[in-house]
Amino acid sequence: MALEELVQRLNAVFQCTEEIMHQDIIPLCAADIEDQLKKQFAYLSGGRGEDGCPVITFPDYPAFSEIPEKEFQNVLTYLTSIPSLQDAGIGFILVIDRRQDKWTSVKASILRIAASFPGNLQLVLVLRPTGFIHRTLSDLTFKFNRDEFKMKVPIIMLGSVTELHGYIDKTQLTEDLGGTLDYCHNRWLSHRTAIESFALMVKQTAQMLQSFGTELAETELPNDVQSTSSLLAAHSEKKDKMKEDLRLALKQGRDILESNRKPVTENPDYKLSQDQLDNQTTVERLLAQLDETEIAFDEFWAKHQQKLEQCVQLRNFEQTFREVKAALSLVSERLSAFTDVGNSCSHVEHILKDLANFEEKSCESLEKARVLASQGDQLVQNNHYAVDSILPKCNELHHLCDAFATETEKRRGLLNKSLELHSLLEKSMRWCDEGIYLLASQPVDKCQSQDGAESALQEIEKFLDMGGNNKIKEPNKVYQLYEPILNQDLMEHVQKVFQKQESMEEMFQKRQVSLKKLAAKQTRPVQPVAPRPEVFVKSPSVSPGLRRGSNYVSNTEDNMLRRMNYRRLKSEMSEIRQSRGGSVMDDEENLAVLRSHVINELIETERAYVEELLCVLEGYAAEMENPLMMHLISPGLLNKKDILFGNMEEIYHFHNRIFLKELENYIEYPELVGRCFLERMEDFQIYEKYCQNKPRSESLWRQFSDSAFFQECQRKLDHKLSLDSYLLKPVQRITKYQLLLKEMLKYSKNCEGAEDLQEALTSILGILKAVNDSMHQIAITGYDGNLNELGKLLMQGSFSVWTDHKKGHSKVKDLARFKPMQRHLFLHEKAVLFCKKREENGEGYEKAPSYSYKHSLNMTAVGITENAKGDSKKFEIWYNAREEVYIIQAPTPEIKATWVNEIRKVLTSQLQACREASQHRTLEQTYSLPVPASTCTSPSRNQGRTVKLEERKTDPTSPEGCVTSVAPKYPEKGKGWAKTSHSLDASEENDGWSSAEDPLNSSDAEEEEGEGGGEMKLTPGKYTVVTDYDKGGSEDLAVKSGDLVQLIREGEDRLWYVKNLSTGKEGLVPANNLLMLIGNSKSAQSLSSSESGTGCSTLSSSSSYNESCNAGSTSF
């Protein structure tokens, strides 16, 4: 029902109530003049005249004349308003009872009534006074003064009640007038008040309904679900209140009607007066109007409620539509990212698997879209008021779902096409590899005979015949057939495969030509070499695709088989080279095949490595930020992705975007691949960061390895191995490069890129060393400063250490006689750190040791003695001109030599820096180095002749004996490192004595050696040969007079390992022969023991470091 219809019905109610109450003319109610009506100087008994004229009775009221005019007017106005308009239009009959009054009062009453009566009059009946005198007086006076009353109706003076009954039936008169009409003024007043109150309630209810209906009709519908739901709840609450008011009004009306009917109910013979009947009709009419109003309101509310509910449905639909559309847009955007067609079969299979997983995850969004579209269609069928808004959205949802399905199928079709192409390419690659393997595996000795050559020729022809299906015959047709998926990289890949195929066929043609010649004409036989017991198994090296998940095991088996055949092939090539002599099969051809195998393995394993990294990043790392997987992640794993995976993403991007593509450029020139490594050597530093984080990653993994999140990710990826195996891949990969480079270098020694390969191998080994050193460095604990300020970490290792501090406390001196301390030394550019190694309990990386910092030495105040106490594994590090001496014993002489050389480089570089600084300040000064005399007893005593500094330029990094940096003897307080602090463990201080480990004071020992020296002592260094030497032994070294030789080290049986710098050859020479060969010649770098007395040469300064630099000269 519309608002207009409801308003029309409510207006009818208003009209009815106004007719009942006559409030349009006389705005009075019984309740307003209740006190005035209670005086009962006039009342409407309900009686009627013969024509139905209402009878108003004015009973005998002594104080009639004292009634205020306003009250008199109100009562008469109200009484005349009660009868219906029809009855009031006939006219009223007034019965004025003045039987107990005086004539003068009667006259005054009649005049007052005549002047104030507001209605029409039909007849006025006056019961005159009953007293004789007053009655006679009234007759005479009324007869002669009739005109004074000014009434248009007749006034009849009645002498008795009986006469009154002649005008009005006594049934219409009250008992006080001799009638039988039942009238109670209080009851009448109560009924009138109740009826008028009910009518007023009905009117007010109608007004509220009209106002509420207008409010509902004019309310604007909100644009969101919450506001619409709130509005519906508010309107429902108001509706319930309206319904409650209607219920109360109906109850009140029914109570009034029941009260009016009560006399009849109690006495069936009782007859209601006309006024009572009118009251009953009035109430029934109001109740009927009220019922109609309730029905009209219910109909209106039902429509309004339906509209609000439809609005809530619409807002829910619109909100869900926005969410679903956003989800579909995201899904479409991710689908559009599937542009990669892959670079191998396994890669394409991985993308297809990702596409299937993506499609599976997208099903939820698509299902929501379809359900929402179905709901929208249902709303349209239910005649929703917003059909024009819903229908386009439903159509859009259907279109988006269909478009996604179409695009998914298109992507799948392209990927299947790519898989088909890559399968073709990999078949061709495998065929080429099998062909190269076949060429390399044909035994040379068998090919020397005519039968062997024919057999090899038949083997080649059979291979070519069977490989027709694996060949790429026409690249243009391939381009045309696979045009939708071809990009620049793929086109280049097709071209490279085709070129490799042509190269392989060309090799076959050359081999066929050679074999045909051998088959046609028997060449001079070559002594064959017995073949190895195991005959080649024709299991060619297959170019493995990039496998993931469940294919990992089979991939590993293929790699193992390929490497086994590869090693067998290398072994066989070595035997062929030793046995065949002048065979027609060229050595270089076989080396090229081996190099091709190495580069193929390098590139294929690189592709697999990149694929595995991508798998981990997408299958694990990215899933840690997936809202759908958050419920599976343990709280301890939240925000720990960087700890668990380190910088793996950085490593992946480097290999995927840069290194792999650059490696592929060298597939035709494998011997030049060293350049690729050299150009990207700095980028490999990222592995140091990854390895340093590995212990933290390992610890985190061990805590949460059983997490449901990892298990779910592994299940989705279909991996046989858990995540920790893949987290180890970068560590394994960086160590794999040096093995491949060694192999490539082995087969490229005479090639153009051999030097680059050697340099690349050295650099990779350097990176591995730096990574290993950094892993130890981060385990240092207790160091207060910043380790980065100490400069680059050059070396680290474990040593046995004795202390021998000459100027310290006597107890510190005696410590040298104790069992040696085990210390782990860290050599930096600016300091050397002494730490104690502590093994930790645990597994994996948690078992790695830690190093407790003990003390450090500033390299600017350090010196070294390269040979200590005649032990080839010992050397000395001393501090502040031998105030503190540390005797270091290395595990092997080689480790000692490496450390000594590295320390020498640091000290020499410091000396060079000091000299350059001095040259800038004093350009005209000269520099010389005094040589200590043979009588010197300690490095702190510098006496004797001098040697020019230029003499040391021959090899500044290899001085023998003692070498120290130019440093202050007593460092200034507060600058550089503080004086060495010792924190020896109590257990080390109180260890038992050991006579075997009792090194003498270094300076004292050197003095004793100097005093007893009669025979010249050989020390490593460079010398000039004074006589020829050639014993002709296989290991003896031949030298001529004038040759410059270098004594490297002394071996067993006093045999010295010597290198002839003039010829570049090396060999062993007995010590006695060396004494004869070099005679009294001096080492180019150091003096012999007979000349120096101590067997050492020392660089020092008598002043501070700054002073020595400013002075510009140092002494030897």
Side-chain angles (χ1 to χ4, degrees):
M1 177 181 289
L3 177 64
E4 293 77 9
E5 188 175 351
L6 177 64
V7 171
Q8 288 177 1
R9 293 194 179 184
L10 292 175
N11 287 335
V13 176
F14 295 150
Q15 185 177 358
C16 178
T17 55
E18 288 175 357
E19 288 177 1
I20 293 170
M21 302 179 66
H22 302 296
Q23 288 193 348
D24 55 339
I25 303 173
I26 309 163
L28 287 176
C29 295
D32 298 335
I33 57 174
E34 185 177 2
D35 294 337
Q36 300 168 24
L37 291 173
K38 284 183 179 180
K39 292 179 180 181
Q40 202 176 348
F41 59 83
Y43 59 88
L44 188 67
S45 63
R48 292 290 190 270
E50 293 180 357
D51 297 331
C53 299
V55 177
I56 296 178
T57 303
F58 289 89
D60 186 16
Y61 192 77
F64 187 80
S65 60
E66 298 176 2
I67 297 173
E69 186 62 26
K70 180 64 175 175
E71 293 182 7
F72 188 74
Q73 287 287 345
N74 288 340
V75 172
L76 291 182
T77 301
Y78 177 71
L79 293 177
T80 55
S81 67
I82 293 175
S84 64
L85 295 177
Q86 181 180 358
D87 294 343
I90 299 174
F92 289 91
I93 296 177
L94 302 183
V95 178
I96 303 173
D97 185 7
R98 290 295 179 263
R99 288 175 292 178
Q100 304 300 326
D101 208 347
K102 299 178 181 179
W103 170 247
T104 53
S105 298
V106 173
K107 180 181 178 181
S109 297
I110 295 173
L111 291 175
R112 187 175 185 181
I113 292 171
S116 302
F117 195 78
N120 296 331
L121 290 174
Q122 188 180 34
L123 182 63
V124 178
L125 300 174
V126 180
L127 289 174
R128 60 190 176 186
T130 55
F132 177 77
I133 299 174
H134 292 288
R135 183 175 59 187
T136 304
L137 182 60
S138 61
D139 288 339
L140 293 174
T141 304
F142 182 73
K143 187 181 293 183
F144 294 106
N145 299 301
R146 182 183 296 273
D147 295 337
E148 292 182 9
F149 296 106
K150 298 179 182 180
M151 287 189 179
K152 297 179 181 180
V153 297
I155 300 176
I156 300 174
M157 299 296 245
L158 301 175
S160 65
V161 175
T162 304
E163 294 179 5
L164 178 62
H165 294 170
Y167 292 94
I168 301 175
D169 190 91
K170 65 179 182 179
T171 58
Q172 303 298 320
L173 294 173
T174 57
E175 292 179 358
D176 58 339
L177 296 177
T180 60
L181 182 64
D182 182 21
Y183 175 75
C184 176
H185 189 67
N186 289 333
R187 184 177 62 195
W188 174 87
L189 184 58
S190 175
H191 282 181
R192 286 306 305 174
T193 303
I195 291 172
E196 290 174 358
S197 175
F198 175 60
L200 182 61
M201 176 181 285
V202 171
K203 183 177 181 180
Q204 290 174 348
T205 302
Q207 288 174 344
M208 286 189 295
L209 289 176
Q210 183 177 9
S211 175
F212 183 51
T214 303
E215 178 187 349
L216 297 184
E218 294 178 352
T219 299
E220 293 185 2
L221 298 179
N223 293 324
D224 60 280
V225 177
Q226 183 63 34
S227 300
T228 307
S229 300
S230 300
L231 181 64
L232 178 59
H235 283 186
S236 299
E237 184 178 356
K238 288 185 178 181
K239 184 266 299 183
D240 293 339
K241 188 175 184 305
M242 293 292 103
K243 293 285 290 183
E244 180 65 20
D245 292 342
L246 278 171
R247 187 187 65 79
L248 292 175
L250 288 169
K251 182 178 183 304
Q252 185 175 351
R254 293 189 181 100
D255 291 343
I256 293 172
L257 191 61
E258 184 180 354
S259 175
N260 196 56
R261 293 174 178 174
K262 186 175 182 181
V264 179
T265 304
E266 294 176 353
N267 184 13
D269 296 333
Y270 185 85
K271 293 184 178 180
L272 298 174
S273 66
Q274 187 62 41
D275 280 354
Q276 288 175 326
L277 291 173
D278 290 344
N279 289 340
Q280 182 174 328
T281 302
T282 298
V283 174
E284 289 175 347
R285 184 180 175 187
L286 286 173
L287 287 173
Q289 292 288 346
L290 209 55
D291 287 334
E292 292 180 1
T293 301
E294 184 179 19
I295 294 172
F297 177 73
D298 287 343
E299 293 177 358
F300 174 76
W301 169 255
K303 291 187 176 180
H304 179 72
Q305 184 181 25
Q306 181 184 12
K307 187 174 183 179
L308 283 178
E309 290 174 349
Q310 287 183 347
C311 182
V312 172
Q313 293 172 349
L314 177 63
R315 300 304 177 231
N316 273 317
F317 177 81
E318 291 174 341
Q319 179 177 334
T320 310
F321 173 78
R322 288 191 293 269
E323 295 173 355
V324 169
K325 186 177 179 181
L328 290 179
S329 298
L330 181 61
V331 165
S332 300
E333 182 180 350
R334 291 180 178 176
L335 179 61
S336 63
F338 279 86
T339 57
D340 192 359
V341 294
N343 53 27
S344 67
C345 285
S346 59
H347 190 195
V348 177
E349 289 171 355
H350 173 63
I351 297 175
L352 280 169
K353 187 176 180 180
D354 287 347
L355 180 63
N357 292 336
F358 168 73
E359 191 175 8
E360 181 181 353
K361 293 178 181 179
S362 304
C363 285
E364 183 178 355
S365 299
L366 293 173
E367 185 61 24
K368 286 182 179 179
R370 294 190 182 97
V371 170
L372 183 61
S374 176
Q375 293 174 353
D377 294 337
Q378 189 64 39
L379 292 177
V380 172
Q381 292 177 7
N382 294 338
N383 298 320
H384 196 282
Y385 72 87
V387 173
D388 295 339
S389 174
I390 296 173
L391 194 57
K393 291 181 173 62
C394 293
N395 294 334
E396 184 176 358
L397 289 174
H398 289 304
H399 173 72
L400 289 174
C401 291
D402 295 341
F404 176 81
T406 303
E407 185 64 21
T408 303
E409 288 302 318
K410 179 182 176 182
R411 299 288 180 187
R412 185 179 289 106
L414 292 176
L415 288 172
N416 286 330
K417 202 79 173 175
S418 176
L419 183 62
E420 182 181 333
L421 175 59
H422 282 294
S423 297
L424 176 61
L425 295 176
E426 290 191 4
K427 282 183 181 179
S428 178
M429 289 288 287
R430 283 196 297 270
W431 185 65
C432 293
D433 289 341
E434 290 170 1
I436 294 173
Y437 181 84
L438 175 61
L439 293 178
S441 61
Q442 288 184 334
V444 178
D445 53 340
K446 293 183 180 180
C447 295
Q448 304 305 311
S449 65
Q450 186 173 3
D451 292 339
E454 290 177 353
S455 176
L457 193 60
Q458 291 175 0
E459 190 177 22
I460 290 175
E461 291 173 351
K462 182 180 178 181
F463 175 80
L464 293 176
D465 292 339
M466 295 178 62
N469 296 330
N470 299 325
K471 294 174 59 176
I472 300 177
K473 298 178 181 178
E474 297 183 25
N476 291 334
K477 288 187 178 180
V478 173
Y479 295 154
Q480 184 178 358
L481 182 60
Y482 298 100
E483 182 180 2
I485 62 169
L486 284 179
N487 52 35
Q488 188 63 32
D489 293 339
L490 199 51
M491 291 178 67
E492 291 178 359
H493 185 43
V494 173
Q495 189 64 32
K496 287 181 179 179
V497 172
F498 184 69
Q499 290 175 357
K500 182 175 182 179
Q501 180 180 295
E502 288 184 329
S503 300
M504 190 273 294
E505 291 177 337
E506 184 179 353
M507 292 171 62
F508 267 76
Q509 291 174 2
K510 291 181 179 179
R511 180 64 62 86
Q512 283 177 314
V513 170
S514 300
L515 291 174
K516 286 178 180 178
K517 291 180 180 179
L518 290 173
K521 182 180 179 181
Q522 180 64 39
T523 58
R524 182 166 58 91
V526 178
Q527 181 65 33
V529 178
R532 295 170 62 91
E534 68 253 21
V535 183
F536 276 123
V537 180
K538 295 191 176 181
S539 302
S541 172
V542 180
S543 301
L546 300 180
R547 293 178 171 82
R548 298 181 55 179
S550 60
N551 296 331
Y552 178 82
V553 176
S554 62
N555 186 38
T556 303
E557 293 173 355
D558 290 345
N559 289 338
M560 290 176 61
L561 181 60
R562 173 171 49 78
R563 286 195 295 269
M564 181 182 68
N565 293 333
Y566 180 34
R567 289 192 294 268
R568 182 179 297 176
L569 175 62
K570 292 187 295 181
S571 175
E572 188 68 20
M573 290 299 108
S574 176
E575 292 182 4
I576 290 173
R577 284 196 299 270
Q578 294 176 8
S579 64
R580 76 186 199 184
S583 171
V584 295
M585 302 179 67
D586 187 32
D587 283 346
E588 183 55 35
E589 179 183 333
N590 293 322
L591 290 175
V593 172
L594 294 172
R595 289 196 295 270
S596 177
H597 276 284
V598 175
I599 194 67
N600 284 336
E601 181 177 3
L602 174 60
I603 293 176
E604 289 161 7
T605 55
E606 184 72 12
R607 287 173 182 164
Y609 174 56
V610 169
E611 189 66 20
E612 287 168 342
L613 292 182
L614 177 63
C615 174
V616 173
L617 292 173
E618 290 184 348
Y620 287 96
E623 291 297 303
M624 291 188 73
E625 298 176 352
N626 184 356
L628 300 178
M629 298 286 285
M630 283 299 179
H631 66 285
L632 298 176
I633 301 179
S634 304
L637 270 178
L638 294 175
N639 303 320
K640 297 290 181 63
K641 185 176 78 169
D642 291 341
I643 296 177
L644 185 61
F645 298 97
N647 62 330
M648 180 181 285
E649 185 173 358
E650 182 183 7
I651 294 174
Y652 165 73
H653 288 313
F654 163 64
H655 285 272
N656 182 52
R657 297 175 180 175
I658 300 173
F659 194 60
L660 175 58
K661 294 180 179 180
E662 293 183 357
L663 280 179
E664 290 173 343
N665 294 332
Y666 290 89
I667 191 168
E668 299 298 332
Y669 312 99
E671 66 276 3
L672 303 180
V673 76
R675 299 176 184 175
C676 181
F677 281 88
L678 291 176
E679 291 172 358
R680 295 298 171 187
M681 198 55 64
E682 291 185 3
D683 294 313
F684 282 102
Q685 301 296 332
I686 57 179
Y687 279 90
E688 184 172 340
K689 180 179 178 182
Y690 185 85
C691 293
Q692 288 178 351
N693 179 70
K694 196 66 177 69
R696 299 174 64 201
S697 172
E698 179 78 10
S699 177
L700 186 64
W701 162 256
R702 293 186 65 83
Q703 294 179 45
F704 301 101
S705 58
D706 296 333
S707 170
F709 169 76
F710 293 128
Q711 295 176 2
E712 177 65 14
C713 291
Q714 184 175 348
R715 185 192 66 79
K716 288 183 177 180
L717 294 171
D718 196 20
H719 279 182
K720 302 298 182 184
L721 301 176
S722 55
L723 174 61
D724 58 328
S725 299
Y726 291 91
L727 293 177
L728 196 59
K729 292 293 182 182
V731 181
Q732 295 171 337
R733 187 59 183 171
I734 190 64
T735 57
K736 177 71 174 177
Y737 288 127
Q738 54 101 6
L739 299 176
L740 293 171
L741 286 172
K742 285 180 180 178
E743 288 294 319
M744 184 63 76
L745 181 61
K746 182 177 179 181
Y747 308 125
S748 309
K749 290 185 177 180
N750 298 324
C751 296
E752 177 185 351
E755 293 183 0
D756 291 337
L757 286 169
Q758 182 61 56
E759 186 177 352
L761 175 59
T762 303
S763 300
I764 284 290
L765 292 174
I767 288 177
L768 291 176
K769 177 183 177 300
V771 169
N772 184 56
D773 290 347
S774 67
M775 294 291 289
H776 289 274
Q777 183 181 8
I778 62 174
I780 296 176
T781 60
Y783 184 74
D784 294 335
N786 185 355
L787 291 173
N788 294 328
E789 295 178 355
L790 303 183
K792 181 180 179 181
L793 177 61
L794 304 175
M795 303 283 287
Q796 57 83 25
S798 295
F799 299 89
S800 298
V801 180
W802 293 265
T803 58
D804 185 12
H805 303 342
K806 288 178 176 284
K807 296 187 178 181
H809 191 271
S810 59
K811 184 178 181 180
V812 178
K813 295 180 184 179
D814 294 338
L815 285 177
R817 302 179 182 274
F818 280 95
K819 183 179 180 180
M821 298 175 291
Q822 298 303 315
R823 289 290 180 259
H824 201 89
L825 272 59
F826 293 86
L827 177 63
H828 293 75
E829 291 177 325
K830 298 182 180 179
V832 57
L833 271 61
F834 289 74
C835 301
K836 182 177 180 181
K837 183 177 180 181
R838 300 186 184 276
E839 295 290 346
E840 300 293 341
N841 295 324
E843 297 182 13
Y845 282 94
E846 294 181 357
K847 196 175 181 180
S850 63
Y851 303 98
S852 299
Y853 168 77
K854 295 302 179 181
H855 60 279
S856 59
L857 303 178
N858 186 348
M859 290 302 293
T860 60
V862 163
I864 62 170
T865 302
E866 298 184 19
N867 296 306
K869 307 299 178 287
D871 192 333
S872 61
K873 295 186 291 183
K874 290 182 180 179
F875 64 98
E876 289 182 353
I877 297 179
W878 41 272
Y879 194 65
N880 282 345
R882 302 189 69 84
E883 275 188 17
E884 303 171 12
V885 178
Y886 300 89
I887 302 172
I888 313 296
Q889 183 178 26
T892 64
E894 290 75 13
I895 294 177
K896 169 212 166 178
T898 304
W899 272 75
V900 168
N901 288 337
E902 198 64 41
I903 296 173
R904 184 192 303 140
K905 291 178 183 178
V906 174
L907 300 181
T908 305
S909 63
Q910 291 179 352
L911 177 62
Q912 182 67 21
C914 174
R915 185 173 62 183
E916 291 176 358
S918 300
Q919 288 175 350
H920 284 293
R921 294 187 182 94
T922 56
L923 297 177
E924 298 179 354
Q925 295 184 9
T926 58
Y927 305 84
S928 62
L929 291 175
V931 180
S934 59
T935 58
C936 73
T937 58
S938 73
S940 62
R941 300 187 182 97
N942 300 314
Q943 301 175 358
R945 59 191 181 88
T946 63
V947 179
K948 293 295 183 180
L949 181 62
E950 284 73 6
E951 295 179 8
R952 297 185 53 82
K953 291 183 180 179
T954 57
D955 188 3
T957 62
S958 59
E960 298 296 325
C962 301
V963 180
T964 180
S965 170
V966 180
K969 183 174 182 179
Y970 301 102
E972 294 180 20
K973 187 177 182 180
K975 295 184 179 180
W977 278 267
K979 190 172 181 180
T980 307
S981 59
H982 303 277
S983 56
L984 302 176
D985 294 348
S987 61
E988 294 169 348
E989 293 179 2
N990 299 319
D991 281 344
W993 296 89
S994 173
S995 58
E997 299 289 344
D998 185 17
L1000 300 176
N1001 181 287
S1002 177
S1003 295
D1004 295 341
E1006 289 167 359
E1007 288 176 3
E1008 292 171 3
E1009 291 175 3
E1011 292 172 0
E1015 181 183 355
M1016 177 179 175
K1017 182 179 180 180
L1018 294 173
T1019 59
K1022 297 179 181 179
Y1023 300 86
T1024 301
V1025 178
V1026 297
T1027 183
D1028 294 343
Y1029 175 79
D1030 186 3
K1031 290 294 183 180
S1034 60
E1035 296 184 355
D1036 289 343
L1037 178 69
V1039 295
K1040 295 181 179 180
S1041 177
D1043 285 350
L1044 182 64
V1045 297
Q1046 181 178 4
L1047 275 62
I1048 298 177
R1049 64 176 180 271
E1050 184 179 6
E1052 297 179 355
D1053 299 329
R1054 298 196 67 191
L1055 290 175
W1056 276 83
Y1057 189 75
V1058 180
K1059 181 176 182 180
N1060 189 337
L1061 299 179
S1062 300
T1063 63
K1065 296 183 178 181
E1066 301 174 355
L1068 298 175
V1069 179
N1072 295 333
N1073 294 348
L1074 276 178
L1075 293 174
M1076 176 187 67
L1077 289 173
I1078 61 177
N1080 295 326
S1081 66
K1082 311 298 187 302
S1083 170
Q1085 287 81 25
S1086 63
L1087 298 177
S1088 68
S1089 60
S1090 60
E1091 293 175 316
S1092 63
T1094 61
C1096 67
S1097 55
T1098 306
L1099 274 170
S1100 64
S1101 173
S1102 60
S1103 59
S1104 68
Y1105 181 77
N1106 292 330
E1107 291 171 351
S1108 64
C1109 290
N1110 293 332
S1113 63
T1114 56
S1115 58
F1116 213 159

